[in-house]
Amino acid sequence: MKIYKTITGMREFINKEEGSIGFVPTMGYLHQGHLALVEKARQENDLVIVSIFVNPTQFGVGEDYEEYPRDLKRDTKLAETGGADAVFAPSVDEIYNPDHGTVVKIEGITENLCASSRPGFFEGICTIVSKLFNIINPDRAYFGQKDAQQVLVVKKLVAELNFAVEIRTIPIVREADGLAVSSRNQYLNDEERESATVLYRALELAEEIINEGERRVEVVKEKISSLIKEETDNIDYIEIVKQNSLKNLSEIKGSVLIALAVYIGQTRLIDNLMLEV
């Protein structure tokens, strides 16, 4: 497997190859969720490229950019084991020049959920994804459903800026106890790790309540909020919205996304569930 740290080197490699390109953008510290993306890309493409780049523009003031886990040697071994042909691992200076001033901003689905508490987050996502798509020029790019809002934002980005790339989404990969796999899970101590399962238990409770016939958004939100508060009072958001637009619902019906962001200790975790009602 090849490892490239410059845009020039990455492009030279791509230009020598033939066939379809599957691209898996990551911030590193790979886990089973990332490897599921790599595996799917391997099944559907001739060439698989994984990027490893902790993008500073999607972190806000006081967030964990400096502490975010990094281990390139570990990640490249995992990427190779998963079936990647090349890893693109540029430095910040390679991606953003010192007077960088171009930002890609999308409106319409970036006003709620994660955007509410992380100003500038999706501008950072859209900017780095645009740059990576221009560098890699993939046929297909792979994202995990755990980041449901991000997936919708990227799809809108591709459609409105006419990128010639198909966005493929892979279901959430979970631990045996239901916790969605995440690079940030490694921040949790043993007690917090046990408490973190409340996110998935809350989603299961919401599904159960809805399946029993409850259609009032506030009633479902209150019940799952009460469950989460048994483990933590620090809830960023609990939202029940339309899947494709993220617009608020007055009644639970149609294609529904139930999305959570919760702090367990100092660690912010997200999870979601998609339902047809």
Side-chain angles (χ1 to χ4, degrees):
M1 189 189 69
K2 307 291 185 181
I3 302 172
Y4 296 95
K5 297 188 177 183
T6 68
I7 295 170
T8 299
M10 187 73 259
R11 283 176 168 163
E12 287 177 350
F13 170 75
I14 292 167
N15 289 337
K16 292 177 184 176
E17 300 296 320
E18 295 181 355
S20 60
I21 298 175
F23 177 46
V24 181
T26 84
M27 291 208 302
Y29 217 75
L30 302 186
H31 50 61
Q32 287 303 313
H34 295 121
L35 296 181
L37 300 175
V38 176
E39 180 181 357
K40 190 66 173 177
R42 180 76 281 160
Q43 294 171 359
E44 297 181 346
N45 300 277
D46 300 302
L47 189 69
V48 176
I49 298 173
V50 175
S51 66
I52 297 173
F53 180 68
V54 183
N55 177 36
T57 66
Q58 68 191 68
F59 288 80
V61 176
E63 293 189 329
D64 59 341
Y65 174 69
E66 297 297 338
E67 293 77 29
Y68 197 87
R70 296 164 171 86
D71 191 337
L72 184 58
K73 184 177 180 179
R74 167 190 176 277
D75 286 344
T76 52
K77 286 183 178 179
L78 285 172
E80 183 173 23
T81 300
D85 297 292
V87 163
F88 180 47
S91 66
V92 173
D93 289 342
E94 182 70 11
I95 295 296
Y96 297 109
N97 61 42
D99 58 351
H100 172 78
T102 300
V103 174
V104 181
K105 182 178 181 179
I106 285 184
E107 297 179 344
I109 55 173
T110 57
E111 280 75 49
N112 60 356
L113 303 187
C114 287
S116 299
S117 58
R118 303 187 71 187
F121 173 68
F122 284 110
E123 286 88 340
I125 291 286
C126 290
T127 302
I128 188 59
V129 168
S130 296
K131 291 171 78 69
L132 290 171
F133 283 176
N134 280 328
I135 294 165
I136 306 297
N137 195 25
D139 295 278
R140 301 175 187 88
Y142 295 78
F143 294 84
Q145 184 57 42
K146 183 174 75 69
D147 300 298
Q149 187 174 18
Q150 177 178 290
V151 169
L152 289 177
V153 168
V154 171
K155 286 182 176 180
K156 186 176 177 69
L157 173 78
V158 165
E160 295 186 356
L161 294 188
N162 306 110
F163 283 108
V165 54
E166 177 188 356
I167 303 302
R168 304 281 283 131
T169 309
I170 305 303
I172 297 171
V173 177
R174 299 185 180 278
E175 305 285 359
D177 57 8
L179 180 65
V181 298
S182 168
S183 300
R184 288 189 168 94
N185 290 350
Q186 62 110 22
Y187 296 157
L188 303 171
N189 62 34
D190 290 345
E191 182 179 352
E192 291 168 343
R193 172 63 182 76
E194 185 174 349
S195 294
T197 62
V198 75
L199 277 79
Y200 184 56
R201 289 188 278 118
L203 293 172
E204 288 187 310
L205 175 61
E207 183 176 23
E208 178 183 342
I209 295 168
I210 292 168
N211 285 341
E212 289 174 353
E214 182 59 70
R215 296 294 180 267
R216 292 169 294 176
V217 170
E218 293 307 317
V219 170
V220 177
K221 288 172 65 173
E222 179 58 35
K223 287 182 180 294
I224 61 180
S225 175
S226 296
L227 175 59
I228 292 171
K229 286 179 179 178
E230 294 177 7
E231 301 292 346
T232 177
D233 289 325
N234 198 348
I235 298 173
D236 186 352
Y237 66 76
I238 299 170
E239 297 292 352
I240 302 175
V241 296
K242 295 181 181 179
Q243 280 184 23
N244 292 328
S245 68
L246 304 186
K247 293 184 182 297
N248 292 328
L249 292 165
S250 57
E251 180 184 0
I252 299 173
K253 63 180 180 179
S255 299
V256 174
L257 174 71
I258 306 171
L260 312 173
V262 175
Y263 284 88
I264 302 295
Q266 299 299 311
T267 305
R268 183 178 183 275
L269 301 176
I270 62 173
D271 205 344
N272 67 80
L273 178 67
M274 301 176 78
L275 292 176
E276 294 293 333
V277 181

